[in-house]
Amino acid sequence: MASESVTLADVAAQAGVSKMTVSKVINRKPGLKDSTRERVMEVVEQLGYTVHASARALAGGRTETLGVLVPSLYSQYLSEIIRGVDRTALKAGMELLISTTRRSSGPRNTGRLAQGLVDGLLIVLPDPLALDESTLRSLPLPVVIIAPNTEEADDLPMFPTVDADHYTGARLAMDHLLSLGHRRIGLISRSGRMSHSLKRVSGYREGLLTAGIPLDPELEVEGDFTQKAGFDAARTLLNLRVPPTAIFAVNDVSAFGAIEAIKDHGLRVPEDISVIGFDDIPQASQVYPPLTTIRQPLLEMGAAGTRLLLALIQGVEAVTDRLIVPTELIVRSSTGPLAARPINPGTPPM
Amino acid sequence: MASESVTLADVAAQAGVSKMTVSKVINRKPGLKDSTRERVMEVVEQLGYTVHASARALAGGRTETLGVLVPSLYSQYLSEIIRGVDRTALKAGMELLISTTRRSSGPRNTGRLAQGLVDGLLIVLPDPLALDESTLRSLPLPVVIIAPNTEEADDLPMFPTVDADHYTGARLAMDHLLSLGHRRIGLISRSGRMSHSLKRVSGYREGLLTAGIPLDPELEVEGDFTQKAGFDAARTLLNLRVPPTAIFAVNDVSAFGAIEAIKDHGLRVPEDISVIGFDDIPQASQVYPPLTTIRQPLLEMGAAGTRLLLALIQGVEAVTDRLIVPTELIVRSSTGPLAARPINPGTPPM
DNA sequence: CTGAAAGCGCTTACAG
DNA sequence: CTGAAAGCGCTTACAG
């Protein structure tokens, strides 16, 4: 299978020029006769020559490649960010190499990425400090961190970060529900101290308070970002003596579970209960009913982080070290105006 | 940020030995005094030295890294295969570098992977020939293809392939439904000529025929693997004069859509209608009701492909060039025995 | 407009 | 048990 590799020297010999000249042609450098350029290109085609990336990296430093480090490939959330990175990298003529941080891998679990294979590194960190700080500090190349899901983002002063505006997004969700007339609004949150989730919970509470509605601890149920937990949490909410007329789930997947639970309970979405999610993962528009949610601009976050990194690589001073990308309300069909009639016959209208 | 890179030479100088000796320590080669080994390791730790992957690749050939080439990172299907690859690679002490085939990227769109960065390449090809044949032929390194979704797998005689047993899986699904007493079984297929889907359709038809049940074209509705299409297809099936009592969707996502449609129609799963999917994506166990489905052993496929590749790299002759991994019936809660009473009051029991 | 030389950081035979 | 030399395939100054 392994057809022998063709090298620069082979092309040079075949074309009757020096290796340098071939190198210049390959790298589109100026200062060559067009005829020379053409002749070399012909030989390149004919021999099927491709640069040996490692050799180029060793010699020149430039790899024309960006690295992306993710905890896993296991969520659409991450895939979407990577898509944004991919597009922007592509436009800039950079290839992409992706690697996952693995529990038991070699030293400084950044895989091969920090070892001279790429010009810069994008680290996507949805979990609190998946990499330890000393690992981060010793990275010998430009780095940008996307979605640093940690309260202590200030602990990472050495790198620029990109994140979405979770708090404002949650306020957007609450304003939407409030404007539809809902006053009794349930929350499906996430256990633990993920800062994303905490900020969204703050948005929920302050949205309520700002509207003059007192908080009711009964209405806040913990989930864990899974559909199952969303289902269970919604069921708890539905069994309240006075159930909510709307539910804000801090992520879409929980919202899917909530919708299942509501239907299962014999009620309809949004006629009887409205549901709003957060994230706007691709599936959000494909479920039934299509989910109203807060779009977390994953694609843009990937793109913005990439642009930042590209600037760093070129030695340009970053405009900002803490980039916050705005979130957006996406109204679909899972939310609607507060129904005139009470949900449980016998319960007085609120 | 870029703390200057520490090289082999730095370590050698600091430890008072030759570069060769340091190299031997790093690569765990025999023939060194333990005391030397220890002294070098200390300096390595102290200086935070890591090998420059490119330099090693250039000099030695060995990169201790496997490449995975995927069309995108955008499906759980692919992620799951990669997980299998990741695990097996990890056990073998190999790092993983992932890249996507991008429409407008450089020559021979295998990204940087074919350019001396890895010892071997795993290509995951769920779409028919995403890479053209000449690209494939000129790959100068060991290659294994996973899930070659094409009728013309024989067009790729140069590489070993790994795939799941789609036909038998579909037969398993039909046998399950048939054994529950269902006779009128709807199919949600996929348009186009994807061989995965075609094999599953064959399993559906031959399952029916083998049970002595004639085919009814009305019962076969085309989807496109999305939840929305599954929803629509199921609705079509439900509106038939004599609707099916069970539905086989050729992928899980379509099955999710079908379940939505059934609930939306005021019927229950599985009491009124049974639904079985195909793939067993992680979500299948998280939806409500948990989905009965055919498990496509994605993880095992990734692992098997990796083992094959590892063997190729070591120059071992592959045991087989066409590895077919068995599928498995996973019974959960979306299927049940044929109900005694008819679905539509007024329709005579079958 | 083109080329000969040096060197990137490592490993592989080969000596001692 | 340890080391000096050559070379992997490229690019970067520097000449001409």
Side-chain angles (χ1 to χ4, degrees), chain A residues 68-339:
Chain A
V68 181
L69 191 63
V70 289
S72 77
L73 262 5
Y74 217 55
S75 79
Q76 299 206 324
Y77 178 92
L78 292 171
S79 311
E80 188 75 6
I81 291 178
I82 295 178
R83 281 220 302 175
V85 173
D86 204 15
R87 277 187 199 181
T88 312
L90 187 62
K91 267 185 226 146
M94 302 287 258
E95 283 291 335
L96 221 59
L97 241 27
I98 301 158
S99 189
T100 56
T101 61
R102 305 191 294 178
R103 36 292 125 194
S104 49
S105 99
R108 321 191 169 285
N109 54 11
T110 51
R112 294 275 174 271
L113 256 21
Q115 305 175 228
L117 255 34
V118 297
D119 296 336
L121 189 58
L122 247 356
I123 299 183
V124 186
L125 267 186
D127 280 316
L129 276 310
L131 292 170
D132 66 276
E133 208 178 311
S134 77
T135 298
L136 287 174
R137 282 194 191 286
S138 64
L139 256 24
L141 75 177
V143 172
V144 166
I145 298 191
I146 298 184
N149 192 26
T150 160
E151 287 290 3
E152 322 83 54
D154 298 329
D155 287 0
L156 305 169
M158 57 291 214
F159 304 120
T161 61
V162 177
D163 200 358
D165 192 345
H166 302 283
Y167 172 77
T168 305
R171 287 298 302 270
L172 249 30
M174 294 306 288
D175 288 352
H176 174 62
L177 258 18
L178 258 5
S179 76
L180 288 170
H182 297 282
R183 311 287 293 169
R184 190 154 173 80
I185 301 174
L187 174 77
I188 299 177
S189 67
R190 167 168 195 170
S191 57
R193 299 195 24 79
M194 302 274 285
S195 80
H196 285 182
S197 156
L198 293 179
K199 286 176 193 157
R200 294 174 192 178
V201 171
S202 298
Y204 164 83
R205 290 180 185 156
E206 294 182 29
L208 245 24
L209 261 13
T210 303
I213 303 174
L215 301 182
D216 180 349
E218 248 188 12
L219 286 175
E220 298 188 13
V221 184
E222 268 192 3
D224 63 5
F225 268 36
T226 67
Q227 187 154 346
K228 175 79 172 63
F231 184 90
D232 293 340
R235 182 175 270 172
T236 302
L237 251 13
L238 291 167
N239 287 329
L240 249 31
R241 215 161 42 79
V242 185
T245 63
I247 295 177
F248 170 33
V250 297
N251 74 322
D252 287 347
V253 176
S254 298
F256 297 154
I259 291 177
E260 293 286 346
I262 293 168
K263 290 181 182 176
D264 199 53
H265 205 75
L267 297 176
R268 290 169 310 163
V269 177
E271 291 82 353
D272 299 314
I273 301 195
S274 287
V275 175
I276 188 167
F278 202 116
D279 285 343
D280 195 29
I281 63 176
Q283 229 191 312
S285 59
Q286 292 166 19
V287 295
Y288 187 82
L291 189 71
T292 295
T293 188
I294 301 299
R295 198 168 93 81
Q296 187 173 177
L298 268 12
L299 218 85
E300 286 82 348
M301 288 164 64
T306 307
R307 269 182 250 113
L308 239 166
L309 182 60
L310 253 14
L312 280 182
I313 292 174
Q314 282 159 19
V316 180
E317 193 69 39
V319 209
T320 171
D321 269 7
R322 294 286 107 101
L323 196 57
I324 303 287
V325 187
T327 45
E328 183 188 354
L329 171 68
I330 306 289
V331 179
R332 283 195 276 252
S333 315
S334 66
T335 49
L338 178 65

Side-chain angles (χ1 to χ4, degrees), chain B residues 8 19-20 23 27 29 49 56 59:
Chain B
L8 240 203
K19 296 195 297 174
M20 247 242 72
S23 174
N27 295 293
K29 299 241 165 132
Y49 169 77
R56 171 183 276 175

